[in-house]
């Protein structure tokens, strides 16, 4: 349903970083954003949704597995290029009273959205990203 | 003496004459006639049986031919029918095989782009696809009326 809503232009899906677990959360969020610099944001997102490896070397190896420029990726990760971005998302979420994860809001309002629907949108996002990449 | 010898010769002559004229005897003649008739009858019977055999065999042959001829036309249509059936089966099979070939040729393209075709259909139907994008943390129309936001940590 969400897939159809997004495809038909009726809905937009967004992901906001929450950094509730300290450095590993920050590293994962930064790795996703650095992957986004090379057009693989949703691939990194999907990977970190299922992996338990939140090390720097693991992130660089993941970049290599996606055939990204690992030097550029490592530099992005080490310089914390997107730290302001991810911390800003976390701060705004906390200001909105969002403390637990995952939380889903529809037009800013809380609602019951199943994991299946979220997965559906995430798959669509990866697909569209791949088409545009 | 000479007279006796003459009488004996005459008697023998008579006997020989009587024996030679024995064919006129009615009894042997019917037997001979019967035997000849029997032989004739046997020959005729044999001939008849032969002819009958021939005719029977001929009739049989003709019957067989008729049967074959009768069978051939009936068999021919049957064969033709079966051939037609086979041809129709082949013809019906050929398009299916061609279709299968065409499908198999078309399958990669069909498999490769089903979602794209569906998307094109949606674009034609809704006209919204041009506004869709996937950029970093967002996917969909930037101006969409519904915004679904997930706040999450990867841990």
């Amino acid at each position: 349903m969400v897939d159809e809503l997004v495809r038909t232009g009726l809905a937009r899906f967004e992901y906001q970083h929450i950094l509730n677990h300290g450095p590993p959360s920050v590293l994962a969020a930064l790795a996703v954003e650095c992957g986004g610099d090379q057009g693989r944001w949703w691939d990194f997102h999907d990977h970190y949704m299922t992996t338990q490896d939140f090390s720097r070397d693991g992130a660089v190896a993941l970049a290599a597995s996606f055939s990204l420029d690992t030097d550029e990726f490592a530099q992005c990760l080490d310089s914390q290029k997107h730290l302001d971005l991810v911390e800003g998302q976390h701060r705004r979420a906390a200001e909105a009273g969002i403390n637990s994860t995952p939380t889903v809001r529809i037009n800013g309002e809380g609602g019951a959205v199943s994991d299946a629907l979220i997965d559906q949108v995430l798959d669509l996002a990866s697909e569209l990203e791949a088409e545009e990449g | 003496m000479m007279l006796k010898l003459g009488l004996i010769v005459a008697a023998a002559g008579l006997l020989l004459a009587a024996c030679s004229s024995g064919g006129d005897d009615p009894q042997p003649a019917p037997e001979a006639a019967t035997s000849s008739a029997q032989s004739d009858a046997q020959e005729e019977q044999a001939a008849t049986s032969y002819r009958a055999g021939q005719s029977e065999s001929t009739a049989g042959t003709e019957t067989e031919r008729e049967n074959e001829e009768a069978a051939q036309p009936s068999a021919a249509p049957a064969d033709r029918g079966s051939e037609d059936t086979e041809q129709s089966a082949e013809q019906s099979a050929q398009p299916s095989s061609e279709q299968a070939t065409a499908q198999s040729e078309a399958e990669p393209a069909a498999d490769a782009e089903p979602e794209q075709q569906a998307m094109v259909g949606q674009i034609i139907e809704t006209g919204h696809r041009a506004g869709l994008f996937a950029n970093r943390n967002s996917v969909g129309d930037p101006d969409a009326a519904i915004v679904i936001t997930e706040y999450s940590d990867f841990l």
Side-chain angles (χ1 to χ4, degrees), chain A residues 35-82:
Chain A
D37 284 350
Q38 299 188 49
R40 306 302 290 266
W41 195 97
W42 289 100
D43 288 330
F44 273 79
H45 167 277
D46 293 346
H47 173 79
Y48 279 113
M49 280 293 182
T50 58
T51 188
Q52 296 298 319
D53 181 3
F54 296 99
S55 67
R56 176 196 177 278
D57 291 342
V60 174
L62 180 61
S65 71
F66 288 137
S67 301
L68 302 186
D69 185 335
T70 53
D71 291 338
E72 179 184 340
F73 179 86
Q75 184 180 5
C76 173
L77 191 63
D78 293 340
S79 67
Q80 298 186 327
K81 177 182 176 182
H82 298 291

Side-chain angles (χ1 to χ4, degrees), chain B residues 3 9 29-30 39 68 70 81 103 107 113 122 127 147 149:
Chain B
L3 184 61
V9 170
S39 64
E68 288 176 359
Q103 285 178 352
E107 275 177 359
E113 303 175 349
Q122 289 179 345
V147 179
T149 306

Side-chain angles (χ1 to χ4, degrees), chain B residues 69-101:
Chain B
E69 289 176 357
Q72 281 178 354
S74 62
D79 292 339
R80 288 171 192 166
S82 62
E83 288 176 359
D84 291 342
T85 305
E86 291 174 356
Q87 286 177 354
S88 62
E90 290 176 355
Q91 288 174 353
S92 63
Q94 284 176 352
S96 63
S97 63
E98 291 175 357
Q99 288 175 354
T101 305

Side-chain angles (χ1 to χ4, degrees), chain B residues 1 9 14 27 38 44 47 53-54 57 61-63 66 78 92 108 129 143 148 153:
Chain B
M1 188 65 179
V9 170
L14 290 173
Q27 287 181 349
Q38 286 178 348
E44 287 179 358
Q54 264 191 338
S57 63
T61 304
E62 289 176 357
T63 305
E66 286 176 359
S92 63
R129 179 62 183 87
D143 299 324
I148 302 169
D153 201 327

Side-chain angles (χ1 to χ4, degrees), chain A residues 12-15 41-42 125, chain B residues 133-142:
Chain A
R12 181 176 78 253
F13 181 82
E14 292 183 352
Y15 180 89
W41 195 97
W42 289 100
Chain B
F133 71 100
N135 184 27
R136 289 195 175 277
N137 67 328
S138 181
V139 59
D141 190 342

Side-chain angles (χ1 to χ4, degrees), chain A residues 6-8 10-16 18 20-21 25 33 37 41-42 98 102-107 118 127-128 131-132, chain B residues 115 119 122 126 128-129 132-155:
Chain A
V6 173
R7 282 185 180 279
T8 55
L10 295 175
R12 181 176 78 253
F13 181 82
E14 292 183 352
Y15 180 89
Q16 298 290 318
I18 300 298
N20 283 348
H21 293 86
S25 295
E33 295 299 330
D37 284 350
W41 195 97
W42 289 100
I98 297 170
T103 295
V104 175
R105 293 287 177 89
I106 298 175
N107 287 349
I118 295 173
E127 178 186 328
L128 291 175
E131 288 178 5
E132 294 180 1
Chain B
E115 295 184 357
M119 190 178 295
Q122 289 179 345
T126 64
H128 287 295
R129 179 62 183 87
L132 291 181
F133 71 100
N135 184 27
R136 289 195 175 277
N137 67 328
S138 181
V139 59
D141 190 342
D143 299 324
I146 301 170
V147 179
I148 302 169
T149 306
E150 178 187 5
Y151 299 87
S152 185
D153 201 327
F154 293 113
L155 282 82

